[in-house]
Amino acid sequence: MKRPNLAELEVFAAVADARSFRKAAAERGVSASALSQAIRNLEERLGVRLLNRTTRSVAPTDAGEQLLRRLRVALRDVAEAVDDIEGFRRRPAGTIRINAPMPAIDFVLQPLAKAFLDACPDVALELISDAAKVDIVDSGFDAGVRFGEELARDMIAIPLGPPLRYVVVGAPDYLRVNGTPATPDDLTGYNCIRQRFPGGTMFHWRFEKAGRAVAIAPEGRLTVSSAHHVMRAAQDGIGLGWVLDGYAQPSLEAGTVVQVLDDWSPRIPEWYLYYPSRRQMPLAMRAFLDFIASRRSSLHVPAAPPAG
């Protein structure tokens, strides 16, 4: 026996509840003869009469009454499930998962989180720190943050924050003992605090001046995986560190570190928030993109949050 589909069962329930083909047809905007034929097809398929019909009335048989009792519950559950999904179209709801490097979370996304969550109380936000290249679709993310040159061509991207700048810093006492480097080439004679990505790749320090670009593979006795720890080590006088200026700014202002090679530290392109498609985008994600767009002019790199 081929099972009836949901539409056929809805027709039966409508006629049985209305006790009239004419009334049910008027409610559904179809002809009474079309509903009558649909019920005959359903009865033939099930091999059971579901409705007793006279010229004046329609009433469920015992089998029809039993089916109707179960259907009322099932159809109500289906209607509620559809209403829940419709809610996603009417208001922002659900979870947004974003994959981003830790600095992008520290300086842009985390400072905006409270205002966004206050504006969209039915939305949850997951900010996952990851500097490795990931397939955001395959990994279950709604969006990611990377530099522009790292984005796949099939992604839609919007600028996120201002251009960035990396700086080299060291403790005053360390520089008094070891001297101040004049060029990136001089760094070979210094203990550099190295930083390694979670995937194993080591940070290269990149510089530029007067059209000359230099990349240094730093050498040093301490390797960490966080810019917070680079700054702590630099303040402790272990060596020189290379970090985004947002991480260094509080310590520079406090005088616990000083900047060197300033004229070799150009600005670099900003981060981009990227996502796969605008087609059938969840309303929560659309609300997040609109929120970012409304705040873009005021985005800036603030002082670094305290190290944990």
Side-chain angles (χ1 to χ4, degrees):
M1 178 187 70
K2 183 178 179 182
R3 291 185 177 275
N5 58 42
L6 182 61
E8 292 173 320
L9 295 173
E10 286 180 326
V11 166
F12 162 71
V15 174
D17 279 331
R19 294 298 199 268
S20 166
F21 282 99
R22 182 179 55 79
K23 290 181 181 178
E27 291 173 358
R28 300 176 71 85
V30 297
S31 67
S33 60
L35 292 190
S36 179
Q37 183 60 51
I39 294 297
R40 281 197 296 271
N41 292 342
L42 177 61
E43 290 174 331
E44 289 177 4
R45 183 175 298 175
L46 295 176
V48 176
R49 176 176 285 275
L50 299 174
L51 296 173
N52 288 321
R53 311 163 179 82
T54 70
T55 56
R56 298 193 177 194
S57 65
V58 176
T61 63
D62 288 344
E65 192 64 54
Q66 178 176 308
L67 177 60
L68 183 61
R69 283 197 301 270
R70 302 289 294 273
L71 274 181
R72 284 190 180 118
V73 176
L75 292 175
R76 184 182 66 242
D77 289 343
V78 170
E80 290 176 355
V82 172
D83 285 344
D84 288 344
I85 296 300
E86 283 288 305
F88 280 87
R89 185 172 60 83
R90 293 191 300 268
R91 71 181 192 283
T95 298
I96 301 171
R97 302 186 71 238
I98 300 177
N99 180 290
M102 180 61 77
I105 294 177
D106 281 343
F107 296 132
V108 180
L109 297 177
Q110 183 64 52
L112 294 178
K114 183 179 187 305
F116 173 70
L117 294 174
D118 286 347
C120 300
D122 295 323
V123 176
L125 186 62
E126 289 188 20
L127 304 176
I128 308 302
S129 171
D130 189 352
K133 291 183 178 180
V134 298
D135 183 329
I136 59 170
V137 175
D138 186 60
S139 301
F141 291 98
D142 297 286
V145 177
R146 291 296 183 272
F147 292 120
E149 66 270 16
E150 299 176 357
L151 300 179
R153 291 184 178 180
D154 58 347
M155 290 291 166
I156 300 168
I158 59 174
L160 188 68
L164 307 168
R165 190 171 187 244
Y166 276 88
V167 297
V168 180
V169 296
D173 287 345
Y174 178 85
L175 292 169
R176 273 195 292 270
V177 172
N178 295 277
T180 299
T183 72
D185 296 328
D186 295 338
L187 292 173
T188 56
Y190 290 80
N191 189 40
C192 295
I193 303 155
R194 306 191 303 171
Q195 187 175 347
R196 190 186 298 277
F197 285 112
T201 304
M202 194 74 71
F203 259 8
H204 278 62
W205 296 11
R206 303 184 185 279
F207 305 92
E208 186 177 328
K209 181 180 180 181
R212 182 192 172 203
V214 179
I216 300 293
E219 295 295 332
R221 297 171 57 202
L222 177 65
T223 301
V224 297
S225 61
S226 162
H228 295 297
H229 298 149
V230 171
M231 284 306 306
R232 171 61 69 85
Q235 291 176 88
D236 289 346
I238 292 176
L240 300 180
W242 187 71
V243 295
L244 279 174
D245 56 1
Y247 286 111
Q249 195 61 40
S251 299
L252 289 169
E253 292 176 356
T256 55
V257 298
V258 296
Q259 182 180 344
V260 300
L261 299 175
D262 179 53
D263 56 342
W264 281 92
S265 301
R267 292 198 175 275
I268 60 176
E270 66 269 30
W271 287 300
Y272 280 79
L273 179 77
Y274 67 99
Y275 52 96
S277 175
R278 289 190 177 95
R279 183 174 179 271
Q280 293 181 329
M281 179 182 292
L283 194 56
M285 185 62 190
R286 170 49 60 197
F288 182 74
L289 293 176
D290 291 344
F291 180 84
I292 290 294
S294 71
R295 300 298 182 98
R296 193 178 303 156
S297 62
S298 63
L299 290 176
H300 63 284
V301 177

